Amino acid sequence: MMAIIVFVLFVGLVLAVSTYTSRRAAGVGGYFVANNSVHWGVNGIAFAGGYLSVASFLGIAGLIAFFGYDGFLYSIGFLAGWIVALFVIAEPMKRMGTFTFSDALNRNFSHPGIQLAAGLSVLVVSLFYLVPQMVGAGVLVEPLLGIPHYWGVIIVGSVVIVIVAGGGMTSTTYVQFFNGGLLLSFAFILTVLVLFRGVSTADRPLEEGAAGLESYRYERVAVVMSGGTPRPDIPGATVTGRHAVRDVYTGEETLVLYRVARPVPATSLPEGGYTASIKGRALRFDATAVERLAGDPVVMIQDWWWLDDRPGQAPALVEAQSRTVIPGRGSLVNGAPESLANRLRQMGAVTELPGEYEGRTGSVGPLRLLSILSDRETVVQRPKQVSFVTDAGESVTVHYEEPTGGDVFMRPGLMFPLEAREGAPGMTTLLYRLNFISLMLALFLGTSALPHILIRYYTVPSAEAARKSTIVAIAGIGLFYILTMYLGVGSVVAGALNPESNNMSAPLLARSFGEVLFAMISGIAFTTVLATVSGLIMAASGAVAHDLMGNLLRREVSDTAKVLAGRVVAVVVGLIGIVLGILFRGMNVSFLVGWAFAVAASANLPALVLMLFWKKTTAQGIIASILVGIVASVVLIMLSPDMWGQYGFDPATAPMPLNQPGIFSIPLSFIVLVTVSLATGKKEIASA
């Protein structure tokens, strides 16, 4: 109940801020650019509030928790992009624009085609960026309010539609300012708590806060190998199934899973039925599910274990978790029917520390914590998963913890491999490196081309104020990204990792300190979604009302009609975002945002940079560059391995070998602009 109260309070505060500031949204200037009246300090924090989306707060913390140092590379890329914004974009954008991105591009040309192309680009990029925000909203609401993912997406979409349609840019600015301040404050508080707790291999935080469930310890049992099949040291247990994961290149078995049927003691309840402990949760069973073993009641559970037969130690079966979907019969979680009471347990832990700490560090400083986790004697239990279909047609996903040395966890390679595995073609290493370079290129160049970032430059009164607000934004965003490292490693130390969604790492870390902090962090994360989505929908609204509508209708549109159109577009784009957020559930939000950056860098940045610094740029070159950038980046994304997997195909057969398109689409857009500008420029000179 406390969580719901705090959550409703935060959302109520956002709506109150929106309602109060919406009074200043009169006229077309008030609705689209807040009458150029926002103070540079407020605008700088609003920059941070709009930019630090769920990709930063949820996605990066989750990637660090699951992949260590490699997850932090997203932070570096996101922050580095602001250098381009500060030194290249900030002041020229303010001097050359009025309401939208297309104003700056079209200032020297007055070409309707530029407005159409730029407006289309803003819509496409906004939708790509909108999807991960909506996914994050659903992820937050699911554990906080105990309602399905899609309701979280619907709630955030509805609230944002009210904010943007009602208050325009003024309302959006102060919602983002409010969120930016809260986000920085509570990320700092959570980091201090992580450092104060330190690391312990014995004492694990409560899994559901002060009111909740003890953190579960995954069992490890000795086995005797008989004919290649293990016999677990569990009375009455038998092995009923096997699945081997093979290296795609060598064919060798890299992981062997066994389904084990084992009796779990059951206790009769006074009101009827029985209770049995499954992975530390007391679940109810009726009499039909109970058997007798040596006269005692038991529940036979079939769950999955992985064989740890590393050299130098006795072989053992290590407990895992599983979700099994049986056609026509629903889902089993850890061998028992799925329910609100029976869901997957949290994962992650540090099980070994350097000898001098004797299993407990106590409170540590920020550098000491990173040093401990980087030590080769430290062992981090990192969540992993494998999915397959059994001979009986059951779809199984097994979640297990892989022991990982600290020196491996805190150096590059887990998410972005530096070298190909044994047996892999030589080209694999090159593809790994190209994929990483492509991502960093998109993050570095995409920031200053994002529509909801560009429109913030029009809300301040001068070019100097635009530059100052960018400096404030860099300071706030840089501090936050440093804190994400501690939120990520703190999550794995606390065993606060949801095996099915790394997006929940930061909120679950907060819950390990108590339900109130969990509710506050979740509420702030939710307002983060509201702030970012508000900016995105505001950008899309301006693109349609200011850039597209007049060109498509081929006549002058009144200011009143533009504002009305902007409000209608806010509603439509919000509804589209709701649908897409539901469809893309389960994908990491930072990963999805990487695609949005790639599209923005491909479609917008070449036109913007060359228009500012190359005198031979022509209107036709800008139009061609934008359209080619959009088409090339979107098509390459649709043909990428991850999307190929979303379609149900084997990712290895995807036509596009890289997940990130920027390394191809960004240079292509530059080349097209230069080529078309040179060709059309010569024609203009000849005709003159």
Side-chain angles (χ1 to χ4, degrees), residues 129-151:
Y129 209 109
L130 197 57
V131 172
Q133 314 309 316
M134 293 299 196
V135 171
V139 166
L140 281 168
V141 168
E142 204 166 3
L144 183 66
L145 304 182
I147 59 178
H149 176 276
Y150 63 84
W151 274 114

Side-chain angles (χ1 to χ4, degrees), residues 28 150 168 170 178 264 274 389 391 503 512 517 532 585 621 643 679:
V28 66
Y150 63 84
T170 304
F178 174 75
V264 177
Y274 292 82
V389 178
D391 293 339
N503 295 322
S512 72
L517 187 58
T532 304
R585 178 191 180 186
M643 284 304 297

Side-chain angles (χ1 to χ4, degrees), residues 411-449:
R411 75 179 184 208
L414 287 178
M415 187 177 182
F416 304 108
L418 301 177
E419 301 291 342
R421 298 196 306 272
E422 182 181 354
M427 180 62 69
T428 305
T429 298
L430 177 62
L431 290 177
Y432 284 154
R433 295 178 179 180
L434 286 177
N435 202 52
F436 174 70
I437 294 171
S438 185
L439 172 64
M440 290 298 109
L441 192 65
L443 299 185
F444 184 72
L445 298 178
T447 298
S448 52

Side-chain angles (χ1 to χ4, degrees), residues 184-196:
L184 285 166
S185 300
F186 278 86
F188 180 78
I189 291 170
L190 201 51
T191 297
V192 170
L193 292 174
V194 166
L195 297 174
F196 183 78

Side-chain angles (χ1 to χ4, degrees), residues 649-673:
F649 304 136
D650 181 3
T653 64
M656 163 69 170
L658 305 181
N659 277 314
Q660 299 295 335
I663 198 167
F664 300 118
S665 56
I666 296 172
L668 178 62
S669 185
F670 272 106
I671 291 170
V672 167
L673 195 152

Side-chain angles (χ1 to χ4, degrees), residues 352-359 372 375-378:
E352 293 183 32
L353 286 170
E356 65 265 29
Y357 293 104
E358 298 181 351
I372 292 168
D375 196 289
R376 66 175 57 194
E377 294 183 39
T378 300

